[in-house]
Amino acid sequence: MSTAVVPRVGPADHGRSMTLDEFMECEVEEGCRYELARGVLEVTEVPNDPHGQAVSNLYRAIGRFIERRPGIIRRFGGGSEFRIWLPGAATGRNPDLGVVLQGAPKDQRGRRLPALVGEVVSTQSASRDYEVKRLEYLAFGILEYWIIDPEKRQVAILYRDGDLWRERTFHDDQPLVSLVLPEFKTTPAELWIDVEEDENVIGESP
């Protein structure tokens, strides 16, 4: 009886063609982030300190919301904690932020689906975050998509309206308005606290 060999991938496999099933089953080398985009493996460096600081500030804001408004969020996280699969498009994404609400339905793997996802933009990821992923997350059924851009010092929030996104952009001390998280309280300026530019590159997110 033969034993199936689980594929192992690393940085050298960037650009490799894979099926979604292969991507879901593969083992990965530590130290990089892995996503599948229309059947092509994308391997990028682990986010650097500026990107990570913006994500950390965002998580703190979510934590404060949970303290003020208990009973709305079931759990939240990012990176490998949430994987967005689009079988028809052979695509798998790992958003920087995923928020699961109480009572959220489960997918075919028994995992509860996030209602809100967010990406912190880097120089390398700008076109993916602003253009490609907005289409993918809409197709997946996400209700709200946050695009946090440390370089532009702005946050764009996309709200689902049927099969389309409606979009608002927030700057400086403007309070972010979330329909998924009512009375959420933070501003773009608070997300940039301690975020420093690193040779004009803000993070290395996929």
Side-chain angles (χ1 to χ4, degrees):
M1 180 177 179
S2 62
T3 302
V5 177
V6 177
R8 182 174 179 81
V9 299
D13 293 293
H14 177 75
R16 171 180 171 178
S17 296
M18 299 184 73
T19 67
L20 184 58
D21 286 341
E22 290 173 333
F23 179 65
M24 292 171 67
E25 297 297 329
C26 73
E27 296 180 355
V28 300
E29 292 183 24
E30 298 296 328
C32 292
R33 295 183 65 175
Y34 302 83
E35 292 188 319
L36 190 68
R38 297 188 178 278
V40 177
L41 184 66
E42 296 179 345
V43 185
T44 55
E45 295 180 9
V46 170
N48 64 11
D49 283 349
H51 177 282
Q53 184 64 55
V55 172
S56 180
N57 292 341
L58 179 60
Y59 284 9
R60 290 192 184 99
I62 296 289
R64 293 193 297 270
F65 173 82
I66 292 173
E67 291 180 356
R68 291 194 310 271
R69 297 292 305 273
I72 294 178
I73 293 179
R74 182 183 181 91
R75 72 183 185 95
F76 73 96
S80 60
E81 295 179 56
F82 289 95
R83 293 188 173 185
I84 307 299
W85 308 122
L86 283 172
T91 294
R93 297 295 188 184
N94 301 333
D96 289 318
L97 169 70
V99 177
V100 175
L101 303 181
Q102 294 288 353
K106 295 181 179 180
D107 64 14
Q108 66 273 18
R109 298 170 296 155
R111 300 183 181 184
R112 296 189 184 276
L113 302 174
L116 184 157
V117 298
E119 299 283 5
V120 175
V121 178
S122 71
T123 299
Q124 289 186 342
S125 73
S127 63
R128 289 194 295 273
D129 294 337
Y130 277 106
E131 300 171 18
V132 178
K133 290 184 181 180
R134 75 165 57 208
L135 299 176
E136 294 170 346
Y137 290 149
L138 185 68
F140 182 79
I142 296 298
L143 299 182
E144 206 165 278
Y145 173 34
W146 296 9
I147 307 174
I148 299 103
D149 195 328
E151 186 171 8
K152 293 182 178 181
R153 291 296 196 262
Q154 70 177 32
V155 177
I157 297 184
L158 282 62
Y159 312 89
R160 175 176 289 275
D161 184 3
D163 293 329
L164 300 172
W165 288 124
R166 292 187 295 107
E167 181 175 346
R168 287 186 62 182
T169 302
F170 303 86
H171 299 86
D172 303 323
D173 293 321
Q174 290 181 288
L176 300 185
V177 177
S178 171
L179 302 183
V180 169
L181 305 179
E183 299 181 30
F184 181 81
K185 294 182 180 180
T186 198
T187 67
E190 291 176 341
L191 299 181
W192 319 141
I193 294 174
D194 293 330
V195 173
E196 299 174 343
E197 292 190 5
D198 185 9
E199 297 181 353
N200 297 318
V201 177
I202 309 296
E204 299 293 343
S205 172

